Amino acid sequence: MELQPRTFRELESTTLGDIGIAARLIERFEVMGIRSVLDLLRLYPRRLHDRSNITPLTDIEVGVEATVFGSVEKCEVKSGRNNKKRVEVILRNGDARLRVTFFNQVWRQKELAPDTEVAMFGKVDSFGGRLQMVNPIVDVLGKAGEGKTGRIIAVYPQSAKAGLSSWDIAPAVAKALEWVGEFYEPLDEALRSPLKLSKIDRTKAFNDIHGVPSIEDHRQAERRLRFDEFLVAQIGLVARKRALQASDAGITHQTGGPLVEEFLSSLPFEMTDDQLTAMSEINQDLATAAPMHRLLQGDVGSGKTVVALAAMLTAVEGGHQGAMMAPTEVLAEQLYAVASRTIGVLRVPSPDGVLLSEQEVGVRLLTNRTKASERAAIADGLRNGTIHIVIGTHALLYGESPFTNLGVIVIDEHHRFGVEQRDVLKQRAGEGRVPDVLVMTATPIPRTAALLIYGDLDISTLKVMPSGREPITTELLKRETIAVGAAYQRVRDEVKNGHQAYVVCPLVEDSGKIEAAAATKRAEELGNSEFKGLRVGLLHGQMPSADKEKIMNSFRSNEIDVLVATTVIEVGVDVPNATVMVIEDAQRFGLAQLHQLRGRVGRGGGASWCYLIADVTTKDAAARMDAMVETTDGFVLADRDLEIRGTGQIFGERQSGQSIDKHLRLARLPRDIKYVEFARTTAESILDSDPDLSNHRPLAEEVEDLLGDDVEYLFKS
Ligand code: ADP
Ligand code: MG
């Protein structure tokens, strides 16, 4: 009888006990979160040592970097001057010995017990006439004498906590590989050929990545499995996108009507080309029965709001309602102010049926502070057709839904909301049709990351900025030096010229209270020193909403010169007269956040400045500050951010993103851009020929296991 190739789902449901791994090891694997055969096989070697590159202890030379190999003969903690402790190890291989010293790493004593086999990499020097290594990189392999021979040593991720060494892991993996025999192969050779992987099927890939016949074989195997990681994610995303496109549950809006025309021609500026393109992309979505599922991304100040307002007006024009949700009250109020000023003055036919009678477009604000009576009035107005658009915060999601006929939903700064929250709003539409959804973000992400995170969304991008944007000069000033005075001097000068400024206080992780206290104190300090005589205001997240609004209004009407604030001002706040942004302890902020903060100035009030007052002690912080000084282009910064931080943070934006990130063991962005693109086209061609994956059942299972319930309906089982 011929054995069936093993599928991932089968490997996932097979425990380590099922394949005869010893109980004492099973417990330890469990500590590392490894329960199934698939978990074990996806624990990949972390590093490889080629024995032919290992320098015999007899051949090492002063000043040269070398990898050495041996077992620990002796390991002692010694006290030096000032009672500083060091760990001294004698490494032995055959008859040769080398002294290795670790400073400030007392914990090494536990790790490097006698008889432990290790590989070490470092620079050789001499001390007291004898050769030694100081603070080398260490790979603990296991108990001496237990390792297999062979040219390449694969080092598995250490887990001191689990008490598992490389010498424990390698034989367990070998056992698993033997048990599996042949792996299910989802891709035929032709599909594998673009990456020159046609000869590398999964069976070979898993065997080579662990067994390492040669470094080159291992690398190829790694490339194949990395591609598979991207592929599974892309299949889920492409399938989801196609399912949405094929649906006819949405609303067919009439686009290009006179109301939108009138709105656009009432604006005091011409739309940019990118705005026009985005609007036409949105209109195409609106005009079809497939529900729109589009992301509008554009840097701060690129003009997303008017595009969103036009989309909502299109809904209104066809007799539907519009809703816009923002993550903070400050922002919702600002959007509401813009909307009432621009669209609240346009006229639409009255709902009372009187021929040719007209009324103004009804726009209302709904937040947690909206009184019950006003809430009821909004619901009435939506019901009887006198209110058309509601702008609000999370408050839109709670209580009885006021909407009766929601046509277009806009979610600003959508990454501030959870996926479920966005879905809740969608379900409150009334009437039974699925509304069109436009999500917006001012935190652009690199295109390839977008393919992975938003692979199921359509994307419109505003790249060109509206004209009239003022240049922003960014300077880095070292904290607690005399140089920071320049920032405060600039604030005073600009205020003298009639402008305004922000000072952003240090970020206090996870504690709004402490942060608020610090901001309060800082506002007082500055008011009594650097900004004596200026009108200093304070804004932080712990203030009652009414106070926040009062402060923002005073700032908007230039009754406050300097606004000392926490990051509550980060998103969207639009006060064109502000021309200086001072960010204290800038090293604590992420790049996206810094860019957002800087975007509060340069909004039309004249030349602007951003001062980063920072104490730069880490490499990452230095990279962030350099990037900020070098460019104001949000897309360039997004790329940098990805390089500095890796994918974790951006993937966290979406729930499905988080599971994708966990699933990507070998993949790394932006390095693997090419793989993402190939995975995309491969996913498309698989789904072209087999839309419900009925001929690729095990692959469908992989996608379902990755993305969970929300894709299960896509494939036939
Ligand atoms: P964001 O994309 O950050 O939400 P906004 O929509 O708030 O940007 O736009 C920022 C400012 O630019 C607003 O004051 C808006 O009126 C203005 N604006 C938008 N589009 C244009 C344009 N095409 N030309 C000039 N100014 C514009
Ligand atoms: Mg905005």
Side-chain angles (χ1 to χ4, degrees):
M1 194 187 83
E2 198 179 321
L3 284 176
Q4 284 287 320
R6 308 272 190 189
T7 66
F8 274 13
R9 191 169 272 179
E10 202 181 344
L11 301 185
E12 181 65 58
S13 60
T14 307
T15 66
L16 299 187
D18 294 339
I19 64 165
I21 305 282
R24 73 181 173 87
L25 287 179
I26 290 178
E27 265 170 41
R28 298 188 199 171
F29 275 119
E30 183 109 12
V31 177
M32 291 176 80
I34 292 170
R35 289 175 193 92
S36 70
V37 171
L38 186 63
D39 294 337
L40 178 59
L41 289 173
R42 296 193 66 211
L43 177 68
Y44 301 120
R46 182 171 67 109
R47 222 194 323 260
L48 305 177
H49 291 291
D50 186 337
R51 282 192 212 264
S52 61
N53 287 337
I54 285 173
T55 312
L57 292 184
T58 44
D59 291 0
I60 58 176
E61 287 169 38
V62 173
V64 177
E65 292 200 317
T67 301
V68 296
F69 184 70
S71 58
V72 174
E73 185 173 78
K74 206 159 109 189
C75 177
E76 291 175 335
V77 179
K78 297 198 168 165
S79 281
R81 248 180 294 152
N82 312 332
N83 213 13
K84 280 208 171 143
K85 295 210 159 55
R86 63 180 195 273
V87 175
E88 259 190 39
V89 171
I90 304 296
L91 191 68
R92 175 181 165 181
N93 194 343
D95 287 336
R97 287 176 177 77
L98 175 69
R99 183 170 54 184
V100 182
T101 306
F102 296 93
F103 293 103
N104 303 320
Q105 301 180 27
V106 178
W107 52 273
R108 289 280 187 200
Q109 194 197 11
K110 239 172 133 187
E111 184 187 63
L112 299 174
D115 255 3
T116 306
E117 212 146 83
V118 291
M120 294 187 183
F121 173 79
K123 202 170 181 166
V124 181
D125 65 23
S126 87
F127 183 76
R130 290 208 319 233
L131 297 183
Q132 70 163 2
M133 262 188 193
V134 175
N135 292 349
I137 292 170
V138 177
D139 280 331
V140 174
L141 301 170
K143 274 255 169 275
E146 289 182 352
K148 62 174 182 151
T149 49
R151 198 162 77 98
I152 315 285
I153 303 165
V155 182
Y156 284 92
Q158 313 283 316
S159 177
K161 191 165 136 238
L164 273 174
S165 72
S166 248
W167 290 164
D168 295 321
I169 295 170
V173 171
K175 196 165 204 162
L177 285 169
E178 196 182 324
W179 180 84
V180 174
E182 193 185 344
F183 287 78
Y184 162 76
E185 174 54 68
L187 306 174
D188 57 33
E189 279 196 29
L191 282 175
R192 301 202 301 260
S193 65
L195 281 169
K196 303 202 175 66
L197 292 171
S198 48
K199 295 287 167 268
I200 319 239
D201 60 24
R202 271 193 183 166
T203 306
K204 181 170 166 55
F206 273 102
N207 279 283
D208 287 0
I209 201 168
H210 291 291
V212 200
S214 74
I215 304 253
E216 180 51 26
D217 286 321
H218 174 90
R219 296 275 173 256
Q220 295 263 20
E222 223 174 33
R223 291 174 49 220
R224 165 62 206 261
L225 295 175
R226 189 184 300 149
F227 176 72
D228 283 12
E229 289 179 352
F230 286 124
L231 177 69
V232 173
Q234 284 304 323
I235 289 181
L237 294 165
V238 172
R240 194 145 65 186
K241 182 169 181 182
R242 289 186 176 184
L244 276 171
Q245 283 167 344
S247 151
D248 60 357
I251 301 159
T252 312
H253 296 273
Q254 289 289 325
T255 59
L259 187 61
V260 177
E261 282 289 285
E262 201 189 328
F263 166 62
L264 295 179
S265 56
S266 74
L267 295 173
F269 45 75
E270 294 288 311
M271 298 291 266
T272 66
D273 287 351
D274 283 358
Q275 283 172 317
L276 292 173
T277 307
M279 282 200 302
S280 100
E281 287 164 349
I282 289 167
N283 278 343
Q284 278 172 29
D285 292 351
L286 292 179
T288 66
M292 173 165 77
H293 196 37
R294 182 172 288 277
L295 169 70
L296 176 60
Q297 62 169 351
D299 218 334
V300 278
S302 58
K304 296 182 291 295
T305 313
V306 282
V307 175
L309 293 178
M312 287 196 291
L313 275 181
T314 303
V316 171
E317 192 147 37
H320 295 94
Q321 298 155 348
M324 190 167 186
M325 185 163 73
T328 65
E329 278 183 25
V330 168
L331 208 50
E333 276 155 14
Q334 183 178 289
L335 289 169
Y336 171 69
V338 171
S340 9
R341 202 170 59 228
T342 55
I343 57 181
V345 296
L346 303 172
R347 304 189 73 79
V348 287
S350 290
D352 54 17
V354 180
L355 198 62
L356 297 182
S357 89
E358 285 190 333
Q359 62 165 37
E360 283 171 351
V361 174
V363 184
R364 289 292 187 281
L365 176 68
L366 182 62
T367 69
N368 284 335
R369 288 193 305 135
T370 306
K371 296 209 171 66
S373 55
E374 167 70 358
R375 242 193 123 102
I378 292 174
D380 280 345
L382 286 165
R383 215 172 299 122
N384 67 29
T386 52
I387 293 178
H388 309 93
I389 289 176
V390 182
I391 294 176
T393 56
H394 296 81
L396 289 169
L397 306 175
Y398 307 119
E400 202 177 318
S401 171
F403 299 103
T404 53
N405 186 9
L406 196 47
V408 168
I409 292 174
V410 178
I411 299 179
D412 200 9
E413 305 297 341
H414 78 114
H415 53 278
R416 296 280 184 113
F417 294 97
V419 188
E420 332 76 53
Q421 289 175 315
R422 283 175 253 158
D423 284 347
V424 167
L425 189 51
K426 225 166 140 176
Q427 283 149 16
R428 315 193 95 199
E431 275 230 330
R433 299 262 100 193
V434 180
D436 289 289
V437 178
L438 181 68
V439 301
M440 307 204 287
T441 180
T443 311
I445 57 173
R447 200 176 68 82
T448 42
L451 265 183
L452 260 170
I453 302 167
Y454 302 124
D456 53 344
L457 298 188
D458 293 296
I459 301 182
S460 295
T461 303
L462 304 184
K463 253 201 134 144
V464 282
M465 291 298 231
S467 53
R469 283 294 111 91
E470 304 288 344
I472 306 174
T473 308
T474 303
E475 280 181 40
L476 176 62
L477 305 174
K478 198 163 161 18
R479 200 181 68 173
E480 277 159 18
T481 62
I482 201 157
V484 298
Y488 304 120
Q489 183 60 46
R490 177 75 64 190
V491 171
R492 290 190 293 267
D493 290 349
E494 281 298 286
V495 169
K496 208 177 284 165
N497 293 332
H499 290 299
Q500 292 160 279
Y502 300 94
V503 176
V504 175
C505 295
L507 184 70
V508 181
E509 227 50 86
D510 299 326
S511 175
K513 267 216 180 93
I514 300 177
E515 189 165 80
T520 309
K521 189 162 151 256
R522 189 71 185 129
E524 217 167 89
E525 265 168 31
L526 287 169
N528 289 327
S529 56
E530 299 284 354
F531 302 146
K532 207 172 176 99
L534 305 190
R535 296 167 303 175
V536 177
L538 169 69
L539 187 73
H540 62 70
Q542 306 276 304
M543 285 162 64
S545 312
D547 294 1
K548 273 192 233 170
E549 188 182 303
K550 228 170 84 198
I551 293 286
M552 275 319 293
N553 284 338
S554 320
F555 191 62
R556 261 186 217 111
S557 51
N558 203 354
E559 288 154 21
I560 289 176
D561 299 315
V562 185
L563 187 60
V564 178
T566 58
T567 49
V568 285
I569 58 149
E570 176 194 341
V571 284
V573 171
D574 186 27
V575 180
N577 191 46
T579 52
V580 190
M581 166 62 67
V582 180
I583 305 174
E584 304 202 322
D585 271 353
Q587 79 281 352
R588 296 207 192 165
F589 295 90
L591 201 42
Q593 216 169 12
L594 289 171
H595 178 59
Q596 280 283 338
L597 288 170
R598 179 170 57 186
R600 301 308 108 218
V601 298
R603 299 176 84 86
S608 296
W609 290 267
C610 173
Y611 295 96
L612 308 170
I613 299 182
D615 187 10
V616 183
T617 52
T618 67
K619 221 176 88 203
D620 282 2
R624 289 199 298 275
M625 299 306 126
D626 288 351
M628 282 292 291
V629 172
E630 271 165 43
T631 181
T632 52
D633 183 327
F635 288 88
V636 174
L637 289 171
D639 269 321
R640 284 292 176 81
D641 204 22
L642 187 58
E643 272 163 34
I644 298 169
R645 288 194 303 175
T647 48
Q649 206 71 17
I650 33 174
F651 279 97
E653 274 191 11
R654 284 186 89 183
Q655 255 159 11
S656 60
Q658 286 169 23
S659 47
I660 291 174
D661 192 40
K662 252 179 49 209
H663 159 85
L664 300 175
R665 314 257 172 121
L666 295 166
R668 208 157 337 290
L669 292 178
R671 182 195 69 185
D672 297 333
I673 284 167
K674 221 175 56 186
Y675 290 79
V676 182
E677 284 166 351
F678 274 128
R680 182 81 176 181
T681 50
T682 308
E684 282 165 351
S685 68
I686 290 174
L687 288 166
D688 284 345
S689 66
D690 186 14
D692 59 5
L693 295 184
S694 47
N695 298 323
H696 293 81
R697 262 320 292 164
L699 189 56
E701 292 168 0
E702 287 174 38
V703 180
E704 288 166 5
D705 290 346
L706 169 63
L707 292 174
D709 298 343
D710 49 336
V711 293
E712 233 144 276
Y713 67 93
L714 296 173
F715 310 120
K716 276 214 185 77
S717 39

